[in-house]
Structures are given as structure tokens and as C-alpha cells.
Amino acid sequence: MARQTEGEFYPAPIVEYNSRPGAITRLIIFAVVLVFAGLAFAIFKDRLGNPFLLGLLGILAMIGVGYLFATAIGFVQIAPRATGGDLAKRFVDTMLHGLVITDPKGRVIYANRAWAKMTGAKSAIETKTVESVLGANEEASSTILKLSSALRDGQTAGGEFRLSEGLVAKGEDVKPCWYRVRARMFSSPDFRRPLNAWQIADISDERSEQERFFQDLQKAIDHLDQAPAGFFATNPNGEISYLNATLAEWLGVDLAKFQPESLTLSEIVAGDGMALINSVKVEPGTTRNMVIDLDLATTSGEALPVRFMHRVGASREGEPGATRTIVLNRAQGDESSSDGRSAEVRFTRFFNSTPMAIAGVDGDGRILRTNAPFLSLFASVVDRDSVDNKIRLDTVIHERDRPGFAAALEKAKDRQADIAPIDTELPGDGERHMRFYVNAIADEGRDGAEEAAIVYAVETTEQKALENQMAQSQKMQAVGQLAGGIAHDFNNVLTAIIMASDLLLTNHRPSDPSFPDIMNIKQNANRAASLVRQLLAFSRRQTLRPEVLNLTDALADLRMLLTRLAGNNVKVEIEHGRDLWPIRADLGQLEQVIVNLIVNARDAMPEGGQLAIRTSNLEEQDCARFAHHRELAAGDYVLIEVEDNGTGIPPDVAKKIFEPFFTTKDVGKGTGLGLSMVYGIIKQTGGFIFVDTEPGKGSIFRIFLPRFVEGVEPRQDEITENGDVPLVHETANNNEKKPEEPANQDLSGSASVLLVEDEDAVRMGGMRALTSRGYTVHEASSGVEALEIYNELDGAIDVVVSDVVMPEMDGPTLLGELRKLRPDIKFIFVSGYAEDAFAKNLPADAKFGFLPKPFSLKQLATVVKQVLEE
């Protein structure tokens, strides 16, 4: 075989500019220099002298010896060896892609043979730049101009274009050609300014291969679209990345508008079908095939019964992978099997669409088959592999209730019809409650039936929560009624004690040894009265003076007080919400609520901490954030949050913190009425209060106060359990505080007073107090007796002082009867309850005074005097 020449291996470029002289040129220059040196020595030999010549020869000899030594050790080479630059040059020279390098003036500095072959250039003169060859070509000019502009900006750019006839026409058999061109700028030490490098490649064969592949792909897609079965693919997130035309037609999806990953699998699967799909578990790094019968949902809302030939994979890390699924339409088939197929479809749809979880179990309690709701309900415990392995059903039943299930299964095996349901909890999750119904199968063993029983399961978590909420509500209502009753009776006792103390004090001077003891009795009675007021606050029977408030201003006024209450070790931060809505509440009671919560938070942080008070508006649609507080009714609220980072509250204690007399403090350090009073005030104001807490991390109390809107009446759900409207509207009859006791006021009188009181001690004390001040007092122990006395006296009564709650006839009824006889009669109610507890049952034009229990003798005389003078 003939040996190839070096030119064939390394074709010389058609244009190459070299700024350095070649080897021959350098040799000629060297010879000329030597000739001139020899002539100079010959001519100036006599003038220079022998010493100079000998010295010069010595120097030249030393240079020669040094050169020979350097040559011997390889430091200097006579013939140049191949370098990296030579390799790079040879690589560029042999490139199959055309390469043209030009200077900033557009002159060709270098062009390889591939470029000459593309353009048909035969010599350096015929070689042109890329702009010259393609700049005027309509098909390529836009690409070339874009690259030229990029080069001027010092950027690298590239592009592709198609020429109908190629760069060089090749006779009649001309085919379109595709070219890829790139242009960049680089610097060279031989040139002062950067050079431009153009690289152009013929990619016609590559494009032809792509077109062929695309056509094959289009044919495959067309075959898949026209297949009689549906097909879809999803990514690991469950988004459908491909949908064939058959399945799209079944679902009513417009493929022209369908965008990959714009539709999720859960959107086309009806009912609990996703539970069947999600129950398929795959080992890491493997794939698994599964046949699933379920319903798909069409765009019109109809159910389409299908069968999935489902393949799902998982990554090596166990993450869910993409899926590929063939879909068979179970509603289609030949007529001979249509009845059986219809029955099968109806049964499958019924079985998987029922809201109950259903499982068939054998005599040992092992699961044989389940429906989709079962897999959905118990997804945390049971999957498809568990069902295939016939897991025992009692694994989804709490351990303490498994004997009950075993007994029920034995009854089912004995064909018993009356089997009590089993209430249990999901193992490991005590917050989820379940109820199981076990039904016997009468045809066990016949026709190959394996089931010994059918078990139905229903989640009762919501029902249990409602039951607990109702029980708690009834408990709080009962405790409130009890507290109110205790407060009523206790008020009578305290009234008697205070009045008796007053009577004793009138007969004892301050210097009397008994005087301090009597004062101590009265002071402790007043302390007990404050506890009774807290009970009344919890039972929502206290009198409130509501007013429209700006919560921001109210909290700003309290800042200094709250800071002092919190102490030096607790940092208090108040964050005011913007544009807070107005609320309607009793300012004094609201301040009491905030103060009580601050004191409790301080006690929860004995070593100090941070306490935050935040306010904000809560719109009705945002109430879903607090859905775990089931009692909260949807609406517009102003939200107050009091958060601390203290010790937190244990769950068993958090359920009882609003109950009266419940306290975790040491004996003598708390009455247990603080939070119960807070609860009562907030509920009576029409709001809600809840606590979210975690032991060791702190607590957050949230108060929801209804937004006040002018002219809007309280909602029906704001009416309290005892039927009272929570807020008392201001009238002339409301008296929140006891009558003042001016020191110099004359409290004597000569009027006739009818005193009606069923408590003997209170009645006797009131009679003595009024008689001592000159009044004529007639006493009655009930409303009926009071009417008899009034009639016996022919109405000669100036004022009636009556208790509200009495046997036979109460105070409001007595007032109604007396108004029939004398419409303008003066009447004073005495009660330990709030005025609105009875005032709402009176006529709108009724005039009356009010004296809250417990009261002193002087307060009784004062209110009688005021009513008589009116």
C-alpha cells in the first residue's frame, strides 16, 4: 500500500499569515552577517591589532564551546521539535469544519482547507470572509448580521441557517443544506488588536437524521393515539405529562389545549380511587405492575369505569418515580358479556364509592379484600402489600379493643345477626376514633367463599369531637347555673352579715374593744362579695356597661400598668394591628381580662421571659385558620393574642382552666376564679376565648371579640345559654355601681315602705335600717303576701323594695301586678344577679331602681331616698 504524504495527513491551510521569518530566511541572514564580519576583519586587521583579534577569537571560542555544551545536554536544539502549538495548528488545519480568522479590518488572517472546500476557493486570493460569502444571502444574512453585531460587542454567539442550494451549487442535483456557525473574538501576541474567529459546519446529515427520527416518533405517537386503549404518563409529583387521544376523548379533554403537567392524576380519578393507587408500594430502585379497577371523572362530571394496567417505579433512595398506565374502558365490550360486565361495573363502583370502609376477613381475622375507602381511611397502617399478605384486621384496632373484635368475629362465625359495634382508636393516634361493624356471612364455604365476615368501618373522630364539645358546653353551662345559684344564696348570707355588722357598728364606738372585730367581719364579708362577683362573671349574670371601644387606645392606656404587673424579669411587647375595627365591650371588664391574663403569664415564667400582646383584624374567611376550635362561629372579629414562653399547660389541665375554683397554684395563692371570670366576661360580651399551649414552650390565649357595626343587632349565636343577651343596653335604670354614700346626706324620711324579701335575716336587717331612719316599713316574705298587704293598706305605699327571686311570685311579676293597680308606683329591685337578667322581661316603660346584693344599711337607705326624691 502506498504511503501517504505528510500533506495528506496535515493539509496546509489555504491562507496563513506568519509574522516571524522562516528557517531559510534566518539562515541567509546569518550567512550574510558572517561574510560581512569576515570582510571587516580582513580590511581592519592592521588597525585593530593582534591583541584585539586574539581576544575576539577567544570570546568566539568560548561562545562556540558553550553552544556545543548546550547542544549536548539538549538545552539548545539544532532542529526544532514538535510543540503543543504545532499540535494545535495541525488539529485546526485538519478540522472538518470551516475556520476563518479575520482581523478588525476584515482581512483574512487564516482559513483552513475545509472552508476553501465549502466555498470552492482554489487560492488565497479567492478566499473570502464569512460576511462576504453569506452577508448578501437572504436565507443566512440575518444570522450573519446578528453574529457580526455580537463580535463588535466582544461577545460569543452562534446560530443555524438553511440554504436552498448550499454554499456552492453542485450541478442539477442540488439539495438544501443546513449550517451551524459560531463566532468569537480572541487575542494573539502577534497582533495588537483582537481577531475574529468564524467556525462553520455543515449539519445537513444531522438534520436529516433528526427529521427521520421525528417522523418515526410522530408515527409512534399516531399509533398510540389511535390505539383502542387509553394511555397516560405522570411525573413523580402525580402530574400528567402525556395523555393519548383515546383517553382524552373518553375524559372529554381537548388535546389541542392540553399542556403537559397542567392536569394531575387526582383530578381525573373519582371517589377514593387515589387510595387504591397510593396503596401500591414499591421497593427502592424497582418497578411494580398492578391491575386496579376504579372510576375516572370526565370533564362533564360523569363516572367512567376503567381498569388500570399500572406501572410505578421508585428511585434508589425510595422516592416515588414516574408512572406509565394503560387504561381499559370497562363499559365497552361485546354484547354476549354485556350483562355480566355491567353487573361487575356496578358492583365495583358500589364497592369503591361507598362512604364506608369495607373489608372481607377470614375466620382468623385476616383481610382478604378491601375497597378504596378502607385503604384511604387506614393508609397509615394498611397498604396493598399488607392486603396481599393478608394482614390481620385487628392491626388497625387499638390493643385494648382487640378482644372485643375477636369476640365479635366469633359471633359472626356462628352466624349471629346481632353483633354490637366496636368503638376504638387508631393505634398510635389517639385523636382518631373508629367504629367497626362486624356482619356474618351466611354462605361461608359455599361457591368457594373465603370470607367469614364483612367488616364495615366508619371514622367517628368528628362525632367524638362534637360529643366532647357538647359535653364540655353542657358542663360549663351546668357549672355556670350552679355558680349563679350559689352566688344568689351567698349574696343573701353576705347581705345579712354586712347589715348585722352595720347595726353592731352603730352601737359601738371605735374605742370599743369589739369594734375592730366587727370591722374585720365586715371587711371579710366584702372580700367574699368580690368572690361572688367573680362567680357572677363566670355565670354571665353580671351587669356590663358596653361602649364602642378602640382597642388600640385601650391597650395603650394599659401599657404602664401591664409592664409593672409583669415585673422586671418579663419583657412585655405590644404589637398593635393596623386599622383595627371597633368593638363594643365594657372597658373596665375588658381591662380586667387583660390584667388577669398578664398576671397568669407572669406566674408561668418564674425565671423571666417574653410576653407578647398582639391585636389584628380577623375576617370571616380567615376563621378557617382556627378550625380546631370548633366552637368558634364564622364572622368578623378583632383578635387579641397574649403569648408567653413560660412553662406551658399540660393537656389534662388545659381542659379545666376555665372552670371555677380550679387552680394549680399552692393553697392560699389563688381562688381558681380568675380565668373563669375571664371566660364569663368574654362570653357575655359575645366573644370567644381559647388557649393553645405546649408544655415547656409556653401558651397563647386568643380572644375573639365581634366586630361592631352600627345598627347591627347581636347574632343569634351570641345569646348566652341562659337566654340573656350578652350586652346590656344603657338605660336610665342601669346601675353598675352601688349608690354612693355622701357623708353629709340626710337619709331619714317618713315615707311608707313595703319591704318584700324571702330571706328572714335580710328582711329583718332592712326593716331595722329603714325604721331607724324614720320610715314606716311593712314587711312581706313573698310577692303574694306583698299584694295582700298592699290591698289591706288601700295602696298607701310610697315605695316598694323587693327581691327579684322569690317563691310563689317573683319581683318582676309583683311589679306587673302593682302597675295594674297603680301605674306610677315607685319600685326598687334588690338582686345578686345582673339587672338585665330580669329587666328584659319587664315592659319597656317600666320605671324602677336597682340595688345589687350584697349591700350595707346605708346603701339601702341611700337608694330608697333617691327613688323617693325622683
Side-chain angles (χ1 to χ4, degrees):
M1 184 174 63
R3 181 182 177 183
Q4 290 179 302
T5 64
E6 183 178 352
E8 291 174 320
F9 277 105
Y10 309 110
I14 191 169
V15 178
E16 180 179 16
Y17 171 80
N18 195 336
S19 60
R20 293 180 300 174
I24 298 175
T25 304
R26 293 196 297 271
L27 182 59
I28 294 173
I29 294 174
F30 180 69
V32 172
V33 170
L34 290 179
V35 170
F36 276 100
L39 292 175
F41 285 137
I43 295 173
F44 300 102
K45 177 180 61 173
D46 296 333
R47 293 184 183 181
L48 294 176
N50 292 329
F52 175 80
L53 292 177
L54 291 175
L56 181 61
L57 290 175
I59 293 173
L60 292 177
M62 291 176 64
I63 293 175
V65 171
Y67 180 79
L68 291 176
F69 180 75
T71 303
I73 65 173
F75 184 76
V76 176
Q77 292 183 343
I78 299 175
R81 60 182 176 181
T83 63
D86 295 331
L87 291 177
K89 181 177 180 301
R90 293 182 179 184
F91 172 78
V92 172
D93 291 343
T94 58
M95 285 175 54
L96 298 179
H97 301 163
L99 178 63
V100 182
I101 299 176
T102 62
D103 63 10
K105 296 182 178 181
R107 293 175 298 189
V108 177
I109 303 300
Y110 175 87
N112 65 357
R113 287 290 175 179
W115 173 246
K117 185 177 180 181
M118 286 181 181
T119 58
K122 302 299 184 181
S123 63
I125 298 176
E126 297 179 1
T127 303
K128 300 180 180 178
T129 64
V130 176
E131 295 101 317
S132 301
V133 175
L134 298 172
N137 192 309
E138 295 180 357
E139 297 174 300
S141 59
S142 60
T143 303
I144 300 304
L145 290 175
K146 181 184 70 174
L147 269 61
S148 299
S149 177
L151 283 177
R152 285 193 294 271
D153 295 336
Q155 298 176 355
T156 299
E160 295 182 1
F161 58 87
R162 177 182 179 274
L163 298 181
S164 302
E165 299 181 352
L167 285 173
V168 179
K170 301 177 181 178
E172 297 180 356
D173 188 14
V174 177
K175 295 181 179 180
C177 294
W178 280 90
Y179 296 93
R180 180 181 294 122
V181 60
R182 289 183 59 82
R184 69 182 182 90
M185 184 179 290
F186 71 97
S187 300
S188 174
D190 298 325
F191 295 90
R192 296 181 179 178
R193 299 177 62 184
L195 303 177
N196 299 328
W198 293 78
Q199 184 178 347
I200 186 167
D202 188 340
I203 58 171
S204 302
D205 294 340
E206 179 182 333
R207 279 304 182 102
S208 299
E209 184 65 19
Q210 290 177 351
E211 291 179 3
R212 185 188 64 78
F213 176 78
F214 180 75
Q215 290 174 358
D216 292 343
L217 181 61
Q218 286 293 103
K219 290 179 181 179
I221 294 175
D222 183 66
H223 294 161
L224 186 58
D225 281 341
Q226 303 304 321
F231 177 82
F232 69 88
T234 67
N235 61 19
N237 295 326
E239 298 165 336
I240 298 177
S241 56
Y242 177 77
L243 187 73
N244 77 338
T246 302
L247 183 57
E249 182 181 358
W250 291 348
L251 297 176
V253 175
D254 187 358
L255 273 183
K257 299 180 180 179
F258 173 76
Q259 295 294 329
E261 300 180 353
S262 63
L263 190 66
T264 62
L265 182 57
S266 59
E267 292 180 83
I268 66 171
V269 174
D272 289 321
M274 284 303 298
L276 295 171
I277 297 173
N278 294 333
S279 67
V280 180
K281 304 301 181 183
V282 184
E283 294 295 328
T286 63
T287 59
R288 183 176 180 182
N289 299 328
M290 185 62 62
V291 178
I292 304 173
D293 291 331
L294 46 75
D295 284 356
L296 296 182
T298 66
T299 55
S300 61
E302 298 178 358
L304 176 69
V306 297
R307 170 167 292 172
F308 275 11
M309 314 296 289
H310 189 60
R311 166 172 284 191
V312 60
S315 66
R316 293 185 178 180
E317 291 76 20
E319 296 294 331
T323 66
R324 304 291 183 266
T325 307
I326 296 175
V327 184
L328 303 179
N329 191 338
R330 300 175 64 211
Q332 298 176 352
D334 53 43
E335 297 180 359
S336 61
S337 60
S338 60
D339 293 339
R341 184 177 63 257
S342 298
E344 180 186 359
V345 169
R346 285 195 298 271
F347 173 76
T348 302
R349 179 174 295 165
F350 168 80
F351 188 60
N352 286 326
S353 300
T354 177
M356 274 193 171
I358 304 174
V361 299
D362 61 12
D364 296 327
R366 299 184 180 278
I367 301 174
L368 300 178
R369 53 188 58 85
T370 65
N371 66 344
F374 187 93
L375 294 172
S376 177
L377 185 60
F378 301 107
S380 61
V381 182
V382 179
D383 56 22
R384 179 58 67 94
D385 288 340
S386 302
V387 175
D388 292 343
N389 295 330
K390 296 186 178 180
I391 189 176
R392 294 180 62 89
L393 188 136
D394 58 10
T395 55
V396 300
I397 299 176
H398 196 278
E399 186 175 355
R400 67 170 180 268
D401 300 312
R402 289 175 185 175
F405 172 74
L409 185 59
E410 289 299 323
K411 292 181 180 180
K413 291 162 66 175
D414 293 339
R415 310 290 195 276
Q416 295 186 24
D418 188 12
I419 303 176
I422 303 159
D423 290 319
T424 185
E425 299 171 358
L426 193 65
D429 189 355
E431 298 295 326
R432 294 187 63 188
H433 298 269
M434 306 291 170
R435 174 168 291 179
F436 288 86
Y437 300 88
V438 181
N439 286 6
I441 294 180
D443 59 349
E444 180 188 6
R446 189 174 64 187
D447 298 332
E450 302 177 59
E451 289 91 346
I454 298 295
V455 180
Y456 302 89
V458 179
E459 184 168 6
T460 58
T461 302
E462 189 77 16
Q463 178 182 345
K464 284 288 184 182
L466 292 175
E467 289 176 358
N468 293 337
Q469 178 184 341
M470 181 63 68
Q472 181 69 10
S473 177
Q474 291 175 345
K475 176 183 176 181
M476 296 295 281
Q477 181 178 354
V479 172
Q481 292 175 349
L482 176 62
I486 292 175
H488 174 264
D489 293 338
F490 201 43
N491 267 328
N492 286 333
V493 176
L494 291 174
T495 302
I497 294 174
I498 292 173
M499 294 178 71
S501 301
D502 287 342
L503 290 172
L504 289 173
L505 289 172
T506 58
N507 298 323
H508 291 75
R509 297 178 180 274
S511 59
D512 195 309
S514 301
F515 188 86
D517 296 330
I518 299 172
M519 286 297 298
N520 191 28
I521 293 173
K522 184 175 181 179
Q523 289 171 357
N524 281 282
N526 287 326
R527 284 187 60 196
S530 67
L531 297 179
V532 173
R533 283 194 293 273
Q534 291 182 335
L535 281 175
L536 289 173
F538 171 74
S539 60
R540 310 177 213 175
R541 296 183 180 180
Q542 64 174 347
T543 300
L544 298 181
R545 273 196 178 275
E547 56 182 307
V548 179
L549 299 176
N550 184 313
L551 192 56
T552 300
D553 295 340
L555 287 178
D557 294 339
L558 278 177
R559 176 183 287 272
M560 295 301 297
L561 173 61
L562 299 180
T563 303
R564 287 197 298 270
L565 286 174
N568 296 329
N569 294 333
V570 177
K571 182 180 180 181
V572 180
E573 295 182 356
I574 301 180
E575 300 178 13
H576 298 287
R578 297 184 59 184
D579 302 324
L580 288 183
W581 296 322
I583 59 172
R584 185 173 174 85
D586 185 307
L587 178 59
Q589 297 293 343
L590 183 60
E591 290 177 348
Q592 185 66 29
V593 166
I594 302 299
V595 167
N596 197 289
L597 293 179
I598 294 300
V599 171
N600 280 344
R602 178 200 64 193
D603 294 343
M605 297 182 289
E607 298 180 359
Q610 293 185 341
L611 177 61
I613 305 173
R614 297 185 293 269
T615 60
S616 60
N617 292 330
L618 183 68
E619 297 183 354
E620 182 173 356
Q621 61 268 23
D622 296 330
C623 288
R625 290 165 41 199
F626 307 99
H628 58 288
H629 298 304
R630 302 176 187 275
E631 186 183 351
L632 181 64
D636 292 339
Y637 297 96
V638 175
L639 175 62
I640 306 174
E641 295 178 306
V642 180
E643 182 176 8
D644 65 73
N645 61 350
T647 57
I649 307 174
D652 56 332
V653 175
K655 298 178 181 178
K656 303 177 181 179
I657 59 174
F658 295 121
E659 296 180 8
F661 303 114
F662 178 82
T663 180
T664 58
K665 298 179 180 179
D666 296 336
V667 177
K669 292 187 177 180
T671 63
L673 291 173
L675 286 178
S676 63
M677 179 191 66
V678 168
Y679 177 84
I681 292 173
I682 296 302
K683 296 297 289 185
Q684 192 173 356
T685 308
F688 302 89
I689 181 170
F690 305 102
V691 59
D692 289 324
T693 181
E694 186 174 348
K697 294 188 177 180
S699 306
I700 176 169
F701 284 83
R702 291 187 174 92
I703 299 174
F704 300 82
L705 296 176
R707 175 186 183 181
F708 173 74
V709 180
E710 189 71 33
V712 177
E713 294 296 326
R715 299 192 313 269
Q716 194 64 29
D717 58 359
E718 292 176 356
I719 306 302
T720 60
E721 285 88 343
N722 58 15
D724 298 335
V725 177
L727 297 182
V728 181
H729 297 283
E730 294 186 60
T731 65
N733 299 324
N734 286 340
N735 295 292
E736 178 194 4
K737 298 182 180 179
K738 295 181 175 63
E740 297 182 1
E741 304 175 4
N744 299 324
Q745 184 180 4
D746 181 12
L747 299 180
S748 62
S750 58
S752 178
V753 180
L754 176 57
L755 180 61
V756 189
E757 173 62 61
D758 63 325
E759 191 73 28
D760 294 340
V762 178
R763 186 175 68 252
M764 290 175 60
M767 185 180 66
R768 290 180 61 183
L770 295 176
T771 302
S772 66
R773 285 169 171 76
Y775 294 101
T776 302
V777 182
H778 304 275
E779 58 177 318
S781 61
S782 68
V784 175
E785 185 180 351
L787 278 177
E788 294 175 355
I789 294 174
Y790 184 86
N791 291 326
E792 290 175 1
L793 298 175
D794 293 328
I797 297 295
D798 296 311
V799 62
V800 178
V801 181
S802 173
D803 193 9
V804 173
V805 179
M806 295 182 295
E808 298 185 52
M809 180 184 293
D810 60 11
T813 305
L814 175 61
L815 176 60
E817 295 297 326
L818 291 178
R819 278 170 54 89
K820 295 178 183 178
L821 303 175
R822 184 176 165 187
D824 61 344
I825 190 169
K826 295 184 178 181
F827 205 96
I828 300 173
F829 281 113
V830 179
S831 177
Y833 291 150
E835 183 180 343
D836 64 304
F838 59 88
K840 63 186 182 65
N841 297 322
L842 295 174
D845 60 343
K847 304 286 185 179
F848 61 89
F850 179 70
L851 179 62
K853 291 183 180 179
F855 54 85
S856 64
L857 297 180
K858 196 171 185 179
Q859 290 168 343
L860 174 61
T862 300
V863 73
V864 170
K865 185 77 172 181
Q866 289 176 349
V867 171
L868 286 173
E869 290 179 351
E870 289 177 358

